[in-house]
Amino acid sequence: MASAAVCSTKEQHQEEERKKQQDASDQLEIGEVHDVQELQRLCAAEDVPERYLREGDDRPGGANVCEQAQIPVIDVGELRRGGGDELRRLRLACEEWGFFQVVNHGIEGELLDGMEKAAREFFALPLEEKQRYPMAPGGIQGYGHAFVFSDDQKLDWCNMLALGVSPASIRRPALWPTTPALFSDTLVRYSAEVRALCAVLLAHVAETLGLAPGTFEGMFGGEAAVQAVRMNFYPPCPRPDLVLGLSAHSDGSAVTVLQQDAGRVGLQVRRGDAWVPVHPVPRALVINLGDSLEVLTNGRYKSVEHRAVTSGEHDRLSIVTFYAPAYDVEMGPLPELVADGEPCRYRRFNHGEYSRHYVTSKLEGKKTLDFAKIN
Ligand code: OGA
Ligand code: NI
């Protein structure tokens, strides 16, 4: 009798354990895709699932990482003061890199820290909490994995929270975290500052092209211009040599503003055949030009490919703002930037259509822009 009771308790216990494990592994799935923070907690180096393991040139390490070069640093204070030298340096940065870090950008360190803290607190929540803001399959906002469209596609070692910020019509308040309590307020304040910085940068970029400073902002539809944020959290990875944090891609925006942790290198920028790691300058923001500017300048300024790698030791957070024309804006090279005799390299198209194309394609280098290329 006593032993039967013990036995049944043991069976019950085993059954409970089995169920717990099943629940845990069910929880790992968001749609068909693992939650990498959970994966990282549970998996040893030899267990990194095959779907994360890259081949050949797609692997992070290797000879084609160029440690010598560094993306330019631009002083926005100097640009505001009308510094001609700084404007020339900005033109070179746009022509030769498509990427630069900005200092003296005018956004308070306290606000940057507040946004980072709120984002970190969000990613540190238990999975069930974060899943209260789920990215629908094929959706682009919420917590989950964007850009996954097939079972044989390689996966990125990254968890994402993506949110539309403006215009108001793209905001999905139900997907804005209520924990930590300051998240939404901070994001609203942060986004206003980042947007103002985008306007300043676009005005100076226009100047480098000999255009009136208001050219881009004027075209982008004012209040209807699109601003979205994606927070990327890269947990440490047991096989950083084989895995990518974020696949190589160009951004579908006009301009992108990336905030990242001081001292944590992960972003790499394409330069010819090589990848150049970005070493964060403390309190600087990383700026890159997106596909819209490549089209508008008829390819004079390129939307440069980039990717993120992971680290075996530390996690990394990036807070990325995408600023783009309103969905109804007609895109195409600006006639004044197509010199006599120069071919027009991109067709005219509706920006909303391109946005849809971008978010329904996997991240694959500069392939998305084939949408607009005239060969
Ligand atoms: C992006 C991006 C790089 C990074 O989100 O588009 O390029 O370092 N992120 O997180
Ligand atoms: Ni990007």
Side-chain angles (χ1 to χ4, degrees):
M1 181 75 190
S3 87
V6 168
C7 186
S8 103
T9 311
K10 197 172 154 203
E11 273 163 14
Q12 266 172 11
H13 180 71
Q14 278 172 345
E15 174 61 15
E16 273 164 24
E17 278 304 299
R18 198 195 55 74
K19 206 166 160 302
K20 258 193 237 159
Q21 270 170 17
Q22 181 62 42
D23 285 352
S25 76
D26 285 350
Q27 277 183 5
L28 285 176
E29 307 280 337
I30 290 187
E32 294 293 307
V33 181
H34 291 105
D35 183 279
V36 284
Q37 281 167 274
E38 302 302 312
L39 202 52
Q40 184 255 329
R41 283 199 300 119
L42 299 176
C43 112
E46 59 276 21
D47 301 330
V48 174
E50 158 70 29
R51 284 193 72 188
Y52 292 87
L53 304 178
R54 306 280 173 154
E55 303 291 342
D57 287 349
D58 224 12
R59 287 187 176 172
N64 62 350
V65 173
C66 171
E67 289 289 349
Q68 288 79 40
Q70 203 27 240
I71 65 169
V73 177
I74 299 293
D75 184 333
V76 183
E78 267 303 300
L79 288 176
R80 287 183 203 262
R81 281 189 288 278
D85 282 349
E86 208 57 16
L87 196 66
R88 272 187 291 282
R89 298 184 63 241
L90 176 64
R91 179 165 53 72
L92 282 179
C94 293
E95 270 171 2
E96 295 182 0
W97 286 92
F99 258 89
F100 46 94
Q101 304 197 59
V102 291
V103 295
N104 289 324
H105 45 63
I107 305 181
E108 294 289 337
E110 211 176 305
L111 185 54
L112 300 179
D113 292 347
M115 193 68 260
E116 179 181 324
K117 183 164 177 284
R120 278 197 168 274
E121 280 175 27
F122 172 77
F123 283 105
L125 292 173
L127 182 60
E128 313 82 78
E129 274 288 308
K130 292 183 281 190
Q131 285 177 330
R132 289 174 50 214
Y133 315 97
M135 186 180 288
I140 51 171
Q141 294 196 43
Y143 180 73
H145 292 84
F147 309 110
V148 181
F149 303 100
S150 78
D151 289 340
D152 53 12
Q153 188 184 332
K154 290 294 178 189
L155 296 178
D156 292 333
W157 193 263
C158 177
N159 282 337
M160 294 174 171
L161 174 67
L163 299 170
V165 173
S166 55
S169 58
I170 70 166
R171 259 192 217 189
R172 299 283 169 269
L175 296 176
W176 286 47
T178 51
T179 330
L182 280 176
F183 186 98
S184 293
D185 274 1
T186 310
L187 182 55
V188 167
R189 284 195 299 129
Y190 177 83
S191 295
E193 296 281 322
V194 171
R195 182 173 190 134
L197 176 63
C198 289
V200 168
L201 290 171
L202 283 169
H204 292 298
V205 169
E207 270 187 274
T208 66
L209 293 160
L211 302 169
T215 305
F216 295 124
E217 275 287 87
M219 285 189 61
F220 288 178
E223 294 283 290
V226 173
Q227 185 175 1
V229 68
R230 186 163 67 225
M231 304 181 181
N232 304 305
F233 186 81
Y234 307 96
C237 179
R239 289 308 304 265
D241 53 330
L242 299 181
V243 164
L244 283 181
L246 193 60
S247 304
H249 66 282
S250 66
D251 291 347
S253 56
V255 66
T256 301
V257 178
L258 179 144
Q259 178 186 341
Q260 59 183 328
D261 319 79
R264 299 199 176 170
V265 184
L267 174 61
Q268 298 183 336
V269 175
R270 168 76 88 187
R271 184 133 171 100
D273 291 336
W275 293 102
V276 174
V278 173
H279 293 269
V281 170
R283 288 278 157 82
L285 295 165
V286 177
I287 309 297
N288 65 287
L289 307 184
D291 296 343
S292 303
L293 277 182
E294 175 166 332
V295 169
L296 289 167
T297 64
N298 199 34
R300 184 148 144 206
Y301 290 172
K302 300 275 188 318
S303 162
V304 170
E305 209 179 320
H306 52 286
R307 67 183 190 180
V309 300
T310 63
S311 152
E313 285 86 50
H314 59 70
D315 60 30
R316 180 170 166 267
L317 170 76
S318 65
I319 300 168
V320 188
T321 299
F322 303 98
Y323 186 62
Y327 291 129
D328 61 359
V329 169
E330 279 296 312
M331 296 293 290
L334 293 174
E336 54 272 54
L337 295 182
V338 185
D340 284 345
E342 186 189 340
C344 193
R345 297 192 175 87
Y346 307 88
R347 64 181 178 86
R348 298 194 70 75
F349 58 92
N350 165 271
H351 180 70
E353 228 176 279
Y354 182 62
S355 284
R356 267 191 303 284
H357 168 72
Y358 188 93
V359 298
T360 53
S361 307
K362 67 173 178 168
L363 296 178
E364 193 175 4
K366 292 207 48 165
K367 206 155 166 241
T368 30
L369 201 50
D370 288 349
F371 175 91
K373 267 198 187 128
I374 298 174
N375 290 315

